[in-house]
Amino acid sequence: MNGKIYIIGTGPGDKDFVIPKALISMQNSDIIVGYKTYIDLIRPFITDVELVSSGMKKEVDRCSEVLEIAKTGKTVSLISSGDAGIYGMAGIMLEIVEKSGTDIEVEVVPGISAATSAGALLGAPLMNDFVTLSLSDLMTPWELIVKRIKAACSGDFVMALYNPKSKTRVKQLEIAINTMLEYYKGDTPVGIVKHAMREKQEVSITTLDDVLNQDVDMFTTLVIGNSQTRVINGKMVTKRGYTY
């Protein structure tokens, strides 16, 4: 008899920001599988459940392992930080289950995304239409990412940028910001959030002209304002169009 697979978004990682359904699903699982950093984040508050971790770039192997465990009749939770359906494990896990031809039950449990975590800490920058963009070209060709940046700018979208910069991937952020400056004013507000809702949290607001001078890494989410975004009492706010 087959078991069940939960694909769970654990949010920022702190227990206070994991939804109750996710906590219950993990605690009721036989095994929880995830990237080492995400397993370490839940370790303090998940008890009496076997935790299995693996390294970066092992996503396919991780999903295959989850599937094999579920085939033995066990309930398995596969975790991602943020929301599992936003640059997380939900897509690949569903694809692998389909390819296997099994009828294992899969349930996706939502989590608080990096974009909404950053948005809350910055104020209300996502009040109107916005897009999320990852600057990692590991899975998506860089030329397509630039095309999407230009399209977002043409539509005057607020942008939440994931994976903006790493030790080996530096030029992409510079290209992205310079591309945005072709469309947006240099004083456009930009929110910088590191380790959102975690122990090392840092939150600051700068401008599109100045963001390349700031310390940005893979733990950072950038929120790029649009023509309607202002800084009000130290908070980023994007107008929705209300009259008052």
Side-chain angles (χ1 to χ4, degrees):
M1 181 179 177
N2 288 330
K4 179 173 180 175
I5 297 171
Y6 287 106
I7 312 171
I8 295 175
T10 58
D14 187 284
K15 183 180 180 181
D16 289 343
F17 299 102
V18 181
I19 71 167
K21 170 67 175 179
L23 285 171
I24 293 169
S25 300
M26 286 189 286
Q27 200 65 65
N28 290 341
S29 296
D30 297 298
I31 299 174
I32 300 173
V33 179
Y35 171 51
K36 181 181 183 301
T37 299
Y38 307 149
I39 289 291
D40 289 343
L41 286 169
I42 67 167
R43 198 181 296 276
F45 54 85
I46 295 296
T47 58
D48 301 321
V49 181
E50 182 181 354
L51 303 176
V52 177
S53 63
S54 58
M56 286 283 283
K57 302 181 181 179
K58 298 290 184 182
E59 290 85 358
V60 174
D61 292 343
R62 199 177 303 145
C63 290
S64 297
E65 180 180 11
V66 166
L67 177 60
E68 292 306 311
I69 294 170
K71 284 180 179 179
T72 69
K74 293 185 176 180
T75 298
V76 192
S77 283
L78 175 63
I79 65 169
S80 291
S81 68
D83 184 289
I86 302 176
Y87 307 121
M89 298 298 294
I92 183 63
M93 186 72 252
L94 290 167
E95 289 173 13
I96 285 176
V97 170
E98 179 197 31
K99 186 177 180 181
S100 73
T102 62
D103 59 354
I104 289 175
E105 182 182 358
V106 180
E107 182 175 348
V108 181
V109 181
I112 299 173
S113 71
T116 53
S117 295
L121 292 168
L122 290 166
L126 309 180
M127 277 296 297
N128 211 327
D129 298 332
F130 69 95
V131 300
T132 62
L133 289 165
S134 171
L135 295 192
S136 172
D137 54 2
L138 185 63
M139 299 291 181
T140 305
W142 177 244
E143 294 77 14
L144 181 55
I145 294 173
V146 172
K147 183 178 180 180
R148 289 172 175 172
I149 292 170
K150 290 180 178 179
C153 290
S154 296
D156 196 30
F157 285 95
V158 171
M159 287 173 273
L161 299 187
Y162 287 59
N163 308 312
K165 189 176 180 181
S166 69
K167 292 179 180 178
T168 59
R169 187 170 40 77
V170 178
K171 293 293 291 184
Q172 283 88 338
L173 179 60
E174 182 179 341
I175 294 169
I177 296 301
N178 286 331
T179 300
M180 293 173 196
L181 282 167
E182 296 174 11
Y183 297 83
Y184 292 173
K185 293 180 179 179
D187 62 356
T188 299
V190 176
I192 304 174
V193 179
K194 291 175 123 181
H195 300 282
M197 297 169 180
R198 296 178 186 169
E199 185 178 352
K200 298 179 181 179
Q201 175 180 292
E202 296 178 24
V203 182
S204 61
I205 298 174
T206 185
T207 63
L208 202 55
D209 269 340
D210 190 55
V211 66
L212 292 176
N213 297 320
Q214 306 303 313
D215 183 23
V216 174
D217 58 21
M218 283 291 285
F219 296 102
T220 306
T221 303
L222 294 178
V223 178
I224 314 294
N226 67 2
S227 65
Q228 299 301 306
T229 306
R230 302 289 183 268
V231 179
I232 301 174
N233 295 325
K235 300 289 187 180
M236 282 180 70
V237 179
T238 300
K239 291 184 178 181
R240 180 85 190 277
Y242 295 112
T243 56
Y244 50 86

